[in-house]
Amino acid sequence: MRNSERTKVKLLLHSGVVGTEVAAMGWVRTKRGNKNVAFVALNDGSTIHNIQVVFDMTRFTEEQLKGVTTGACIAVKGLLVDSPGSGQRVEIQANYLEVLGEADATTYPLQKKGHSMEFLREIAHLRPRTNTFGAVLRIRHAMAYAIHKYFNDKGFFYIHSPIITGSDAEGAGAMFRVTTLDLDNLPRTEDGKIDWNEDFFGKEAKLTVSGQLEAELGALALSEVYTFGPTFRAENSNTPRHLAEFWMIEPEMAFYDIQDNMDLAEDFLKYLIRYALEHCADDLEFLNKMYDNELIDRLKFVIENPFERLPYTKAIEILEAANQKWEFPVFWGADLQSEHERYLVEKHFKKPVILTDYPKEIKAFYMKQNDDGKTVRAMDVLFPKIGEIIGGSQREEVYDKLLNRIHELHIPEKDVWWYLETRKFGSAPHSGFGLGFERLLLFVTGMTNIRDVIPFPRTPKNCEF
Ligand code: ATP
Ligand code: MN
């Protein structure tokens, strides 16, 4: 049977015409029945729902159906008929069967339902065949599409920032090195240091931690741009919210101040969540039923309510007044930890929060300095269950101020000369932010571990598949 003959299960269930001959291909979820009839639930990944295929055993032999076991891949043809059973509109009355790929019943790992998420991570090559990961992967796709649609509709341009970078100044985290040098026989300079001149790029190269600096160059020419690509952090943070390889969306806009930046971030997040509710209803209902009964209500709540906006200093006052035992101490100047962020969001304001004007010591060199000399125009968006989902800022566009900060932080000017030049030639006020794609997916799917919203997670000591 050829692919051109088949109709996807989603289409059959939704708009297949009763009384017509149809064909489907997919993987067997379950088979049950007796010696007169067999019922097979078939799924091809186009939807969370299976189509029921009914085999009348007067037309098929036991032998023919032997290969139709949980996990096997089959092709069927038959008549689409009204389904007498509840739960589905139509079913296929099979008159043709081809087993494309058998799945041995004693060794196929996904025999029964209800495997732990930990076990499923160990079989990440097969977990897309579960209802849960099918749902997560379809939602992941829908969100990626919605991101491009949102920006395209607003006239933003998609900029491809490099994945390999020679700049050490991105400052967002520890970096992975990229090299072709022979590690067993490293070239040395006269004073015994590694001679990076001998390396592939003639200098040290790393995997990027952020596309922001390059996005800024784009914004200062095309006004409104965004990047959407993989980023890498070599931190050894083994948390449910950190990956060593994750995807980030980084819009960067000329002429936006921090208010415009916050407005965009809030509108963008609400758009994406609304898009998921409208286009991923089946998958969200499944996740809501199986994992988190409050998921859909939480998504609706976020789009219906304005985010709370307040300065970091106010947030510290609230946290100091809270009657809480903190694992990490709270004081002005402290970097907020997830426990603090979640207290503000879940206990105090009970809605998403945007914190602004952080102490300059805990934020990056490029953030616009406030007149108080102590704070910068940073903005972090904090979400229920997640903590920080977006980090952004208005950028320092004044050449002298940026240069001073670079000197204060001992960032070598030779690493950022090109960045500095944008402030020398036609500088403009501008702003931007980074949304962690997997943090967004944690929120939208209700999954609790970031390893379960990316097909193949990379974390410390884990690079299988
Ligand atoms: P955190 O404090 O949560 O470690 P960060 O402040 O280091 O994050 P930024 O450098 O501001 O993160 O990155 C922008 C966004 O990228 C964050 O708001 C978050 O959504 C996401 N992000 C950052 N680090 C990771 C990571 N290791 N894994 C997945 N997403 C991440
Ligand atoms: Mn941040």
Side-chain angles (χ1 to χ4, degrees), residues 48 115-118 120-121 127 130-137 139-140 240-241 283-296 298-299 342 384-387 389 437-454:
I48 187 101
H115 296 290
S116 73
M117 300 307 267
E118 287 78 9
L120 291 176
R121 269 171 230 148
R127 69 178 182 169
T130 62
N131 283 331
T132 301
F133 284 91
V136 167
L137 292 176
I139 294 171
R140 190 177 164 105
R241 289 179 312 282
D283 289 322
L284 287 176
E285 274 158 30
F286 170 80
L287 295 169
N288 194 79
K289 190 173 77 194
M290 298 299 290
Y291 292 98
D292 182 347
N293 294 317
E294 289 162 12
L295 173 63
I296 291 177
R298 200 159 55 240
L299 299 180
R342 292 185 59 175
K385 301 257 182 194
I386 311 289
I389 193 163
F437 189 42
E438 287 77 18
R439 299 251 177 115
L440 170 76
L441 288 170
L442 277 178
F443 184 72
V444 172
T445 62
M447 294 284 105
T448 52
N449 194 313
I450 201 162
R451 293 162 180 78
D452 300 328
V453 295
I454 188 166

Side-chain angles (χ1 to χ4, degrees), residues 259-325:
Q259 299 299 328
D260 302 319
N261 204 19
M262 286 193 277
D263 291 345
L264 182 76
E266 182 167 343
D267 186 60
F268 179 46
L269 288 167
K270 286 178 170 172
Y271 174 91
L272 295 176
I273 293 165
R274 199 176 300 118
Y275 189 95
L277 284 166
E278 281 171 14
H279 295 86
C280 308
D282 287 2
D283 289 322
L284 287 176
E285 274 158 30
F286 170 80
L287 295 169
N288 194 79
K289 190 173 77 194
M290 298 299 290
Y291 292 98
D292 182 347
N293 294 317
E294 289 162 12
L295 173 63
I296 291 177
D297 285 344
R298 200 159 55 240
L299 299 180
K300 287 187 175 151
F301 180 84
V302 166
I303 53 181
E304 283 160 9
N305 291 280
F307 297 2
E308 188 74 30
R309 300 179 184 190
L310 76 158
Y312 166 94
T313 302
K314 286 256 165 57
I316 291 292
E317 286 166 19
I318 291 169
L319 293 170
E320 280 176 336
N323 194 9
Q324 291 276 318
K325 274 225 176 324

Side-chain angles (χ1 to χ4, degrees), residues 219-464:
L220 292 172
L222 304 177
S223 297
E224 294 174 324
V225 302
Y226 69 106
T227 70
F228 183 2
T231 48
F232 307 85
R233 307 231 172 143
E235 280 124 311
N236 195 5
S237 31
N238 247 311
T239 81
R241 289 179 312 282
H242 289 91
L243 291 164
E245 174 180 303
F246 65 101
W247 288 65
M248 188 148 54
I249 301 100
E250 296 178 277
E252 193 70 37
M253 300 75 62
F255 318 121
Y256 279 48
D257 64 16
I258 190 168
Q259 299 299 328
D260 302 319
N261 204 19
M262 286 193 277
D263 291 345
L264 182 76
E266 182 167 343
D267 186 60
F268 179 46
L269 288 167
K270 286 178 170 172
Y271 174 91
L272 295 176
I273 293 165
R274 199 176 300 118
Y275 189 95
L277 284 166
E278 281 171 14
H279 295 86
C280 308
D282 287 2
D283 289 322
L284 287 176
E285 274 158 30
F286 170 80
L287 295 169
N288 194 79
K289 190 173 77 194
M290 298 299 290
Y291 292 98
D292 182 347
N293 294 317
E294 289 162 12
L295 173 63
I296 291 177
D297 285 344
R298 200 159 55 240
L299 299 180
K300 287 187 175 151
F301 180 84
V302 166
I303 53 181
E304 283 160 9
N305 291 280
F307 297 2
E308 188 74 30
R309 300 179 184 190
L310 76 158
Y312 166 94
T313 302
K314 286 256 165 57
I316 291 292
E317 286 166 19
I318 291 169
L319 293 170
E320 280 176 336
N323 194 9
Q324 291 276 318
K325 274 225 176 324
W326 304 115
E327 191 185 337
F328 296 90
V330 172
F331 55 93
W332 198 95
D335 203 358
L336 296 186
Q337 303 295 326
S338 172
E339 56 170 338
H340 310 128
E341 296 171 344
R342 292 185 59 175
Y343 176 86
L344 291 169
V345 172
E346 290 163 26
K347 299 255 168 54
H348 192 85
F349 291 110
K350 299 193 162 53
K351 57 174 159 165
V353 172
I354 311 184
L355 289 188
T356 58
D357 303 291
Y358 282 72
K360 66 175 182 200
E361 281 74 22
I362 57 172
K363 290 292 181 186
F365 73 94
Y366 48 71
M367 296 193 180
K368 183 156 184 68
Q369 296 158 41
N370 281 319
D371 292 336
D372 63 11
K374 294 191 302 196
T375 59
V376 289
R377 248 167 251 180
M379 52 158 243
D380 279 10
V381 182
L382 315 179
F383 254 42
K385 301 257 182 194
I386 311 289
E388 181 186 330
I389 193 163
I390 278 180
S393 69
Q394 186 170 340
R395 320 303 189 190
E396 184 57 78
E397 85 276 21
V398 179
Y399 180 83
D400 290 333
K401 287 192 179 169
L402 184 60
L403 189 63
N404 271 341
R405 194 69 190 129
I406 281 171
H407 287 159
E408 275 172 18
L409 294 171
H410 307 292
I411 297 170
E413 249 181 270
K414 67 165 177 45
D415 287 352
V416 288
W417 64 271
W418 45 273
Y419 185 76
L420 278 163
E421 280 206 350
T422 59
R423 274 62 170 175
K424 224 193 270 181
F425 308 127
S427 189
H430 63 289
S431 301
F433 60 81
L435 167 65
F437 189 42
E438 287 77 18
R439 299 251 177 115
L440 170 76
L441 288 170
L442 277 178
F443 184 72
V444 172
T445 62
M447 294 284 105
T448 52
N449 194 313
I450 201 162
R451 293 162 180 78
D452 300 328
V453 295
I454 188 166
F456 301 103
R458 269 77 182 97
T459 50
K461 301 276 178 280
N462 171 37
C463 196
E464 190 68 34

